[in-house]
């Protein structure tokens, strides 16, 4: 592509009051309105003084800006251009929205958490957002709802950020703790969130977060028939998360730290060659003749009781599943002519309460490795509204996190209505194809028409979303 040379000259003017740059916000915010976002906020959020007036409209403005790609308070100005005032009422200035966020206390953030949970439930009731209950392959006989827990560091700059500190990653920032839910045929959505100071440990607040997440999951339409399976990495292996999940009726699958007790359990299995089963792993090849995988990765399991040194009510019986792969350093030394006297393995173990008759060793290992899907959610959020935490006030940033999650789930819900490959696409892709589309506004006889570009490649998806969210009201007799 090159610039056309046919015109003798070009000019540019910002003079058209009937253009909008994000026409996809029209069906997107219509979907939010059908889920009663504004009413939910007005019912539950009670920010004092004039800063908290019309909270429902202000939250809707913030969510709309994030859906369109805003990652700072100043970016909310993108809602106040061209013809946006003709298709949306009461769009607030960025300074007003910033004052609103800075008026939050921790209690108001918790109120906003309650709004986000109920908003997600209403979105799931109106769209195929959460799909069907997951049926685990390779021997699984029951349906599971996969709930993943993880934290991530959001880098911040400047000395005025309350709560900022250096965490486990060595990056100065704030720590966001998230819980997502994943089912068959649907991309993950966020069911719980919490912002913490940057220097805190990963498991801090995980017990409360898991309790809130499981409560939300049980309220989602279509998931009542599945049992939640909470997955997490070794940072969350502790009584807080595990006991909270088990007491709430969920199963757990949590990576364990290789302490003395776990190493002893691994040593009891390592010498038994018959205990190990080859699995599909990196560089594995499937042998059609034998029906087996040719792989260097193997799994085994042994009965295990978590927290055995604690009182009886805090002990959790289950299985310790162990995966072993050859040590890569050993392979490098062998290539250099430094052979070892015996094989050296690297071991990875996780604890699970799933019964062996529900998922065998291979199936439960494959399911646990699927926990990495939450990393895609972390990256997705950081590519949109969580690229920055825009305020110096900690509670304002905590509210910003909740709003970012609401915008994330709303974008996902809109994409499921659009259908096709967009249902599981990144939110950045959804914004590019469905939301950030230029349109010219024309009105006639109290009817507004959006004129969009001819030949837009994703026109069928956009029209499908628009038709399902902007239907005229039903006729009344």
């Amino acid at each position: 592509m090159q610039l056309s040379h046919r015109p003798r000259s070009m000019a540019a003017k910002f003079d058209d009051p009937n253009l909008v740059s994000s026409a996809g916000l029209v069906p997107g915010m219509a979907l939010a309105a059908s889920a009663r976002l504004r009413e939910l906020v007005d019912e539950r959020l009670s920010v004092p003084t004039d800063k908290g007036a019309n909270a429902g409209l202000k939250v809707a403005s913030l969510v709309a800006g994030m859906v369109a790609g805003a990652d700072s308070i100043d970016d909310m100005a993108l809602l106040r251009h061209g013809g946006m005032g003709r298709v949306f009422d009461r769009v607030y200035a960025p300074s007003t929205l910033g004052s609103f966020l800075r008026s939050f206390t921790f209690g108001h953030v918790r109120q906003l958490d309650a709004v986000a949970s109920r908003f997600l439930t209403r979105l799931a009731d109106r769209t195929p957002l959460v799909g069907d209950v997951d049926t685990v392959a390779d021997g699984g006989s029951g349906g599971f709802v996969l709930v993943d827990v993880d934290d991530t560091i959001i880098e911040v700059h400047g000395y005025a950020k309350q709560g900022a500190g250096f965490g486990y990653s060595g990056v100065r920032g704030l720590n966001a703790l998230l819980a997502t839910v994943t089912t068959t045929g649907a991309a993950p959505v966020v069911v719980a969130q919490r912002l913490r100071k940057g220097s805190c440990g990963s498991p801090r607040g995980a017990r409360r977060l898991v309790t809130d997440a499981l409560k939300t999951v049980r309220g989602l339409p279509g998931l009542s028939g599945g049992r939640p399976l909470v997955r997490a990495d070794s940072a969350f292996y502790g009584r807080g998360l595990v006991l909270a999940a088990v007491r709430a009726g969920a199963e757990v699958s949590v990576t364990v730290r290789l302490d003395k007790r776990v190493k002893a359990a691994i040593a009891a299995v390592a010498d038994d060659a018959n205990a190990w089963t080859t699995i599909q792993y990196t560089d594995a090849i499937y042998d059609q003749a034998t029906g087996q995988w040719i792989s260097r990765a193997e799994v085994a399991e042994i009965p295990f009781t978590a927290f055995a040194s604690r009182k009886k009510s805090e002990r959790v019986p289950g299985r310790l599943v162990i995966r072993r792969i050859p040590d890569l350093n050993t392979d490098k030394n062998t290539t250099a002519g430094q052979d070892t006297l015996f094989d050296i393995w690297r071991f990875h173990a996780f604890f699970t309460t799933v019964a062996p008759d529900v998922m065998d060793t291979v199936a439960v290992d494959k399911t646990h490795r699927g926990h990495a899907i939450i990393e895609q959610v972390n990256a997705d959020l950081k590519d949109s509204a969580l690229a920055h935490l825009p305020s110096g006030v900690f509670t304002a940033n905590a509210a910003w996190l909740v709003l970012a999650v609401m915008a994330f789930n709303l974008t996902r819900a809109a994409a499921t209505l659009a259908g096709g490959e967009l249902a599981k696409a990144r939110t950045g892709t959804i914004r590019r194809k469905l939301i950030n589309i230029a349109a010219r506004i024309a009105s006639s006889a109290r009817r507004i028409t959006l004129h969009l570009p001819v030949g837009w490649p994703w026109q069928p998806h956009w029209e499908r979303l628009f038709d399902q969210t902007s239907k005229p009201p039903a006729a009344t007799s």
Side-chain angles (χ1 to χ4, degrees):
M1 177 184 290
Q2 67 176 4
L3 192 64
S4 175
H5 295 293
R6 283 176 292 180
R8 296 182 59 186
S9 63
M10 288 189 181
K13 293 183 179 180
F14 289 86
D15 60 354
D16 195 328
N18 297 315
L19 290 179
V20 296
S21 64
S22 301
L25 282 179
V26 173
M29 295 313 294
L31 177 59
S34 70
R36 298 184 68 247
L37 172 60
R38 177 184 171 185
E39 291 81 0
L40 285 171
V41 175
D42 288 336
E43 290 170 5
R44 298 193 168 270
L45 188 59
S46 57
V47 179
T49 73
D50 61 318
K51 303 292 193 300
N54 299 318
L57 289 171
K58 291 174 180 176
V59 166
S61 295
L62 288 161
V63 170
M66 292 177 177
V67 170
D71 61 14
S72 68
I73 295 174
D74 287 343
D75 282 355
M76 294 297 163
L78 63 83
L79 300 176
R80 294 162 63 88
H81 70 272
M84 292 292 281
R86 296 178 61 184
V87 291
F88 296 103
D89 294 328
R90 302 289 297 275
V91 178
Y92 287 91
S95 58
T96 303
L97 297 176
S99 298
F100 172 65
L101 289 175
R102 288 188 293 272
S103 299
F104 274 62
T105 65
F106 177 74
H108 298 131
V109 176
R110 291 296 290 155
Q111 290 176 351
L112 197 59
D113 284 336
V115 171
S117 174
R118 288 160 177 79
F119 182 55
L120 174 61
T121 301
R122 292 180 178 274
L123 287 175
D125 192 39
R126 287 157 177 76
T127 67
L129 179 61
V130 294
D132 300 320
V133 174
D134 186 64
T135 301
V136 180
D138 299 330
S141 60
F144 280 94
V145 179
L146 304 175
V147 180
D148 296 306
V149 179
D150 195 19
D151 66 330
T152 184
I153 300 293
I154 304 171
E155 186 175 8
V156 299
H157 305 276
Y159 295 101
K161 295 283 186 181
Q162 290 182 351
F166 291 93
Y168 56 84
S169 65
V171 174
R172 186 174 182 273
L174 294 170
N175 187 297
L177 180 62
L178 301 175
T180 64
V181 63
T182 309
T183 57
T184 300
V189 294
V190 183
V191 292
Q193 61 287 315
R194 195 85 76 250
L195 187 68
R196 307 169 301 174
K197 65 179 185 179
S199 60
C200 77
S202 293
R204 180 176 179 179
R207 178 176 61 181
R208 181 64 179 271
L209 182 96
V210 167
T211 302
D212 292 346
L214 292 176
K215 183 178 179 181
T216 300
V217 167
R218 286 197 168 85
L220 293 176
L223 299 188
S224 58
R227 190 171 188 184
L229 173 61
V230 178
R231 303 183 294 188
D233 58 30
S234 60
F236 298 93
Y237 179 68
R239 288 174 294 142
L241 180 142
V242 174
L243 290 177
V246 171
R247 290 170 179 172
E251 306 286 1
V252 297
S253 180
V254 185
T255 305
V256 299
R257 293 178 290 274
L258 296 182
D259 55 23
K260 291 182 179 180
R261 185 163 173 264
V262 171
K263 289 180 178 179
I266 293 174
V269 181
D271 295 333
D272 185 0
N274 296 324
W276 298 93
T277 303
T278 303
I279 62 170
Q280 181 184 3
Y281 205 66
T282 305
D283 299 328
I285 300 174
Y286 186 72
D287 189 341
Q288 297 285 351
T290 62
Q292 296 180 343
W293 286 99
I294 301 175
S295 172
R296 304 185 69 183
E298 301 172 330
V299 292
E301 69 171 76
I302 189 174
F304 190 82
T305 299
F307 322 121
S309 62
R310 309 296 301 184
K311 58 185 180 181
K312 190 173 182 180
S313 62
E314 295 182 350
R315 300 172 190 169
V316 182
R319 307 148 63 190
L320 186 70
V321 180
I322 307 155
R323 180 174 67 254
R324 70 178 186 181
I325 59 175
D327 192 305
L328 298 180
N329 291 327
T330 303
D331 290 347
K332 183 169 61 176
N333 293 336
T334 301
T335 303
Q338 302 175 3
D339 295 337
T340 58
L341 296 177
F342 47 83
D343 290 334
I344 299 178
W345 301 89
R346 295 176 60 193
F347 293 94
H348 306 266
F350 65 92
F351 171 77
T352 182
T353 58
V354 178
D357 57 341
V358 176
M359 281 195 286
D360 60 20
T361 310
V362 175
V364 78
D365 173 74
K366 183 177 181 180
T367 302
H368 179 76
R369 281 186 277 136
H371 167 67
I373 194 172
I374 195 173
E375 298 292 351
Q376 299 177 7
V377 176
N378 293 338
D380 204 335
L381 285 168
K382 290 181 179 180
D383 189 40
S384 52
L386 290 190
H388 306 94
L389 288 172
S391 179
V393 181
F394 180 84
T395 49
N397 288 327
W400 184 270
L401 171 63
V402 183
L403 294 166
V405 166
M406 294 168 66
F408 175 88
N409 291 337
L410 176 59
T411 305
R412 282 260 176 256
T416 59
L417 290 181
E421 72 282 358
L422 293 179
K424 301 182 72 173
R426 294 173 58 255
T427 57
T429 301
I430 298 168
R431 283 195 301 274
R432 186 169 63 253
K433 297 180 178 181
L434 289 182
I435 306 298
N436 296 335
I437 309 174
R440 180 174 58 82
I441 297 172
S443 59
S444 175
R446 300 184 65 184
R447 177 186 178 91
I448 291 180
T449 302
L450 297 175
H451 293 273
L452 294 99
V454 174
W456 187 255
W458 303 278
Q459 176 181 342
H461 301 83
W462 198 95
E463 290 179 335
R464 193 179 303 120
L465 170 62
F466 184 82
D467 290 342
Q468 296 189 67
T469 58
S470 304
K471 295 178 181 177
T476 58
S477 58

